[in-house]
Amino acid sequence: MTPSSQNHGGIDESFLNDYSDGDRKYQDVLMKISFSVKNDNLNAEECADILQSYVASFPFAAVLPVQPLTYTPRENGGRYRGVSVSFLRKKTKEKGQIDGGIEFLIYVLDGEKLGLVGRANVIQLLAIRNTEGQTVSKVFSEGLIIKSFVSGLIVEDEEEGGRVGLGKDKLLECLSIQSFVHKW
């Protein structure tokens, strides 16, 4: 099944078609968060860079201390910035080192083209399942990461919430969460 043939919760399907790169298998949108820029004087691209810094600093490994993983920030300034989280396993003759993962993708949408009155830009953060090399479903691991990430963003008291990346205060000075949805 190609990304364009799936329902992704109202997101621009051409986004997934443009993003699909070769052999990787992107199947499900695990999380979608829409942000608005708090102030018209703030640049949406700069705010998207702040969001990327936050996501890149998120302690994914602390959420799953037993699951070996890597996370690599994508290039800033491109249409699809974000962070690639890859689950790892011991490499064998039959299986490679990568055992699936999650792609956190950030992109800026023109609010006027979307018909939003008074909102110049919307920044969306998607978490998309990557099944590359996956032989066993990682739904449990994916759920823990997504729930901890969302909880860390929306709960004000860090002791009660999930894990938090660096620069949460700076992020929330620039952006406000308009909506979020996730599978769990």
Side-chain angles (χ1 to χ4, degrees), residues 29-43:
V29 174
L30 303 175
M31 175 194 76
K32 176 182 167 185
I33 302 176
S34 295
F35 298 89
S36 64
V37 178
K38 281 190 170 181
N39 185 330
D40 291 336
N41 297 329
L42 298 171
N43 180 318

Side-chain angles (χ1 to χ4, degrees), residues 2-18:
T2 63
S4 63
S5 66
Q6 297 179 18
N7 178 0
H8 292 288
I11 65 169
D12 178 8
E13 290 186 1
S14 67
F15 167 78
L16 289 176
N17 290 334
D18 292 345

Side-chain angles (χ1 to χ4, degrees), residues 3 100 120 123:
I123 298 173

